[in-house]
Amino acid sequence: MLIAKILSTVLAVLGLSAIAERAGPAVAGMLAGMPLGVAIVYFFVGIEQGPDFVMAAAPYTIGGFAATLCFNLAYWLVSSRVRNHGFALSVTIAPLVFLAASYAMTFLSLSMWSAIALVAGLSLVSLVAMRNHQARRIDNRLRMTWQLLSLRAGMAVAVVLAVTGVAGAIGPRWAGLLAGFPITLFPLLIIIHLSYSAGDAGSIIKTFPQGLPALVIFVLCAWAVFVPLGVPLGMAVSLLASLSWLTGLFVLKTRLRAMQDPHDD
């Protein structure tokens, strides 16, 4: 089980990092909405604690996504405004903001629908706040060395093992909130910020809300089907539903770009 957690997390984070370097941080930001982190947590928590546990945790997982939006805004605000020690402050303050927002939600009796409404409202706040941030593209990729790969893998594994280890012992409410922690997004931000710039990390944060509905769809489906279908089949159905959103989003954006920049023969 430990090896499976490590391998699945490493593949997810390194894949997103490679996409960010080749296609640009804006694309990686949308793909960070893929339910990679929460799917890893839900699968292993579902196997270890049972599907009823996942069902009870689901509204607070969506609440955790709201806390992730607070995390993102904190990271962007600090990294874009603090010149000296901006990186260190960003990676310290943003997780503390996530924990503070999550703690506040433990006092709420969240339903699936009130949690979704909360995420929608904070997504709108995020989009408005970052409307003037210019998306960037990485032009000069770093050569993938063993040292860089080890750094990326180590950060990702540390976060996932910590979250899944704690989630299994503290009950559905806190487990759900921690499942919403940006398990793959946080290491990705660290990698891009360190390797390139705070502006590139901000581009990931700016486009994250566009892919966020995929995370919500995954949790909503898991809440509905994990108990009747079981964890493995429920996972497959939930992932398929979630990925349908991202597929539709990419098709729509591609067609809009083609309409705005038609090719003249």
Side-chain angles (χ1 to χ4, degrees):
M1 190 71 75
L2 178 63
I3 293 173
K5 291 180 182 180
I6 292 172
L7 289 177
S8 58
T9 305
V10 168
L11 290 173
V13 174
L14 295 186
L16 280 178
S17 299
I19 290 170
E21 292 175 346
R22 288 168 173 79
V27 175
M30 286 187 292
L31 290 180
M34 291 179 66
L36 300 175
V38 68
I40 293 168
V41 172
Y42 265 37
F43 180 79
F44 290 110
V45 169
I47 294 295
E48 295 168 356
Q49 304 295 326
D52 287 314
F53 187 97
V54 171
M55 185 176 179
Y60 288 91
T61 301
I62 295 179
F65 298 152
T68 292
L69 289 166
C70 296
F71 168 101
N72 283 352
L73 285 173
Y75 194 106
W76 171 66
L77 287 170
V78 174
S79 65
S80 62
R81 286 161 174 76
V82 178
R83 300 303 176 192
N84 295 325
H85 310 294
F87 172 76
L89 287 173
S90 299
V91 299
T92 301
I93 291 174
L96 293 177
V97 169
F98 175 89
L99 291 174
S102 297
Y103 178 71
M105 289 181 207
T106 62
F107 295 98
L108 303 177
S109 296
L110 290 177
S111 67
M112 290 296 294
W113 312 115
S114 62
I116 290 172
L118 179 61
V119 168
L122 284 173
S123 294
L124 181 60
V125 170
S126 178
L127 290 170
V128 171
M130 297 193 68
R131 65 188 182 279
N132 294 323
H133 180 88
Q134 295 298 315
R136 301 158 63 101
R137 182 182 179 89
I138 295 171
D139 294 319
N140 299 313
R141 292 193 293 115
L142 293 179
R143 187 171 59 88
M144 295 293 287
T145 65
W146 284 109
Q147 292 85 350
L148 187 57
L149 287 170
S150 297
L151 174 64
R152 295 177 176 187
M155 287 189 297
V157 169
V159 172
V160 168
L161 293 183
V163 173
T164 56
V166 172
I170 57 178
R173 185 168 294 198
W174 263 110
L177 288 165
L178 291 177
F181 185 82
I183 292 172
T184 54
L185 177 63
F186 189 25
L188 178 62
L189 288 175
I190 292 174
I191 290 164
I192 298 303
H193 193 163
L194 275 178
S195 301
Y196 302 102
S197 71
D200 292 308
S203 295
I204 292 173
I205 292 170
K206 180 177 181 177
T207 55
F208 179 75
Q210 298 177 24
L212 184 55
L215 288 169
V216 174
I217 290 169
F218 173 84
V219 175
L220 184 61
C221 288
W223 172 73
V225 305
F226 263 38
V227 171
L229 298 182
V231 173
L233 183 56
M235 175 69 71
V237 170
S238 300
L239 283 173
L240 182 61
S242 176
L243 292 177
S244 67
W245 166 268
L246 286 174
T247 301
L249 179 63
F250 279 119
V251 169
L252 177 61
K253 289 178 73 70
T254 299
R255 291 183 177 178
L256 287 176
R257 281 196 299 268
M259 292 172 61
Q260 293 171 359
D261 187 25
H263 177 69
D264 295 325
D265 292 330

